[in-house]
Amino acid sequence: MSYLILGIETSCDETSAAVVRDGKQMLSNVVSSQIDVHNAFGGVVPEIASRMHTEIILQVINQALETAETSAGEVEAIAVTQGPGLIGSLMVGISTAKALAFSHGKPLVGVNHLESHIAVAHLENEIDFPFVALIVSGGHTNLYMVRGFLDFELLGSTRDDAAGEAFDKGAKALGLGYPGGVEIDRLSKNGDPDAIRFPRPFNNESPDFSFSGLKTALLNHIRKNPVKSEENLVDVCAGYQEAIVETLIDKTLNAARKNGVEGVVLAGGVACNSRLRQLSEERIRSKGINVFIPSPALCTDNAAMIATLGYHMYADNRVSALDISPYSTARRDQKNHVS
Ligand code: KG4
Ligand code: ZN
């Protein structure tokens, strides 16, 4: 049996729709980003995000269906991000998905955005279970033990800022644009990562992370040593990025060893970071552990990831009722780790 799943994603500032066959083959993945609009405000403005999703969502869905040469009446099920995310933004995707599901008589599948960041890695690679997955995004830094397509155990998470937040707040302090991770990544390419050594936060055996102290260290550094030249700026960026990236890699490698897995998946927007991609190859693969990182377009928010996880949920009969509501933070049953 071959299933086409329509995925819809509106949790933050990307409006996206995709069609994926059998959780394996991506037939379309349309992403409309609002970044340019939010850039002027230095971060995502929730009310503007919801309005922009409303304006464009039908167009994005139609384009995804057209590119995949199918229609809402022909897909097997409709998967939509249920949370976590901005409630107003999630509401737009969920309401649209409910209307489509009801009018075409299709099952609705409410998908967890974080788990779908991991699931999308299966589109490009055959990955054996179990593996350890690190999700690094604007709002989350989570380490999971993954034992099956629908079996995610949270091992650790950040106690304060997420890695993406550390990039974005650091960039803001340095007067750079939003999203800051992209800017710091670009500038760091010309900098020396060892010129300025920032602290490696929470550098111990715990699978939890903490990035707010690193942000304070950056603020203190630039207060005492104001950035006066491009040469200095690129070194500050490279040093700051190195501290974040090394921490992420050390913790992931630790978790992989402790749990005896042979593979790790890095996912979420921060997994686009070129230094993280490079250093994880060097430091994790050299220990005999396979590293899988989705291509950058599948690391940032997109609906192919929703359709991929949606397929596995649908195949496992995890269909949602038409009265589901969005949730803003990670589900309670995911916070099952002891820190
Ligand atoms: O997963 P994502 O697209 O959205 C969320 O669900 O949050 O992640 C967005 C985050 C932002 O914090 C952004 O600065 C960061 O991913 N990011 C990067 C890079 N590209 C995006 N961080 C570091 N280096 C990058 N190249
Ligand atoms: Zn995300």
Side-chain angles (χ1 to χ4, degrees):
M1 197 68 104
S2 174
Y3 295 142
L4 290 186
I5 307 290
L6 169 66
I8 298 173
E9 151 67 31
T10 62
S11 67
C12 190
D13 57 349
E14 261 99 28
T15 319
S16 181
V19 178
V20 171
R21 189 192 299 281
D22 296 335
K24 277 199 204 106
Q25 189 191 2
M26 187 170 78
L27 303 184
S28 62
N29 189 26
V30 179
V31 182
S32 168
S33 175
Q34 309 172 357
I35 279 178
D36 291 347
V37 177
H38 298 293
N39 195 349
F41 301 94
V44 177
V45 184
E47 175 60 22
I48 294 178
S50 323
R51 282 171 188 241
M52 291 188 73
H53 286 306
T54 310
E55 281 166 20
I56 204 157
I57 189 154
L58 291 179
Q59 212 176 308
V60 168
I61 292 172
N62 286 336
Q63 201 182 324
L65 290 168
E66 268 170 36
T67 307
E69 296 180 355
T70 186
S71 65
E74 285 172 285
V75 300
E76 185 70 22
I78 297 168
V80 64
T81 310
Q82 194 179 351
L86 301 170
I87 288 294
S89 291
L90 290 164
M91 212 52 206
V92 178
I94 292 176
S95 309
T96 311
K98 282 180 183 175
L100 283 173
F102 183 71
S103 58
H104 293 279
K106 302 288 173 186
L108 178 74
V109 184
V111 172
N112 180 287
H113 178 91
L114 297 175
E115 295 172 353
S116 76
H117 267 300
I118 302 172
V120 81
H122 297 294
L123 279 185
E124 294 175 321
N125 297 285
E126 286 288 328
I127 311 171
D128 291 335
F129 297 107
F131 59 83
V132 158
L134 172 73
I135 298 182
V136 267
S137 71
H140 298 88
T141 303
N142 289 355
L143 263 175
Y144 293 85
M145 180 70 183
V146 185
R147 296 191 178 85
F149 285 111
L150 299 173
D151 187 347
F152 305 91
E153 181 198 349
L154 186 63
L155 299 172
S157 58
T158 182
R159 297 194 175 182
D160 39 58
D161 291 348
E165 221 172 334
F167 271 112
D168 295 342
K169 288 180 176 170
K172 206 168 191 172
L174 291 165
L176 307 173
Y178 173 85
V182 180
E183 288 292 293
I184 290 185
D185 189 356
R186 183 178 62 80
L187 290 164
S188 297
K189 290 193 173 118
N190 299 318
D192 173 3
D194 300 317
I196 303 156
R197 188 174 169 87
F198 287 100
R200 272 49 179 161
F202 223 56
N203 194 8
N204 55 28
E205 289 288 304
S206 162
D208 283 345
F209 301 82
S210 164
F211 288 107
S212 71
L214 175 62
K215 179 190 62 194
T216 309
L218 173 70
L219 290 172
N220 286 339
H221 177 85
I222 54 182
R223 205 181 50 235
K224 284 185 209 143
N225 315 279
V227 178
K228 292 211 178 90
S229 65
E230 174 79 10
E231 211 181 335
N232 183 213
L233 174 66
V234 295
D235 282 347
V236 174
C237 285
Y240 186 67
Q241 172 177 273
E242 199 73 357
I244 299 174
V245 165
E246 278 195 348
T247 305
L248 295 175
I249 290 175
D250 286 353
K251 297 262 177 186
T252 307
L253 187 56
N254 243 339
R257 281 171 158 170
K258 248 186 189 162
N259 290 282
V261 300
E262 288 171 11
V264 305
V265 167
L266 307 185
V270 178
C272 292
N273 184 270
S274 53
R275 184 69 177 153
L276 178 63
R277 296 175 88 93
Q278 177 201 0
L279 216 58
S280 57
E281 286 287 331
E282 288 170 20
R283 301 217 178 144
I284 301 180
R285 213 182 284 282
S286 66
K287 300 285 184 303
I289 295 170
N290 290 317
V291 183
F292 302 98
I293 313 177
S295 36
L298 294 180
C299 282
T300 48
D301 290 349
N302 67 87
M305 62 192 205
I306 306 305
T308 304
L309 185 56
Y311 164 78
H312 292 288
M313 293 178 70
Y314 175 73
D316 197 50
N317 285 321
R318 299 197 196 182
V319 170
S320 306
L322 276 182
D323 63 353
I324 55 166
S325 308
Y327 49 87
S328 59
T329 50
R331 281 193 317 240
R332 207 176 310 122
D333 63 358
Q334 286 197 300
K335 293 183 180 166
N336 56 0
H337 70 296
V338 182
S339 52

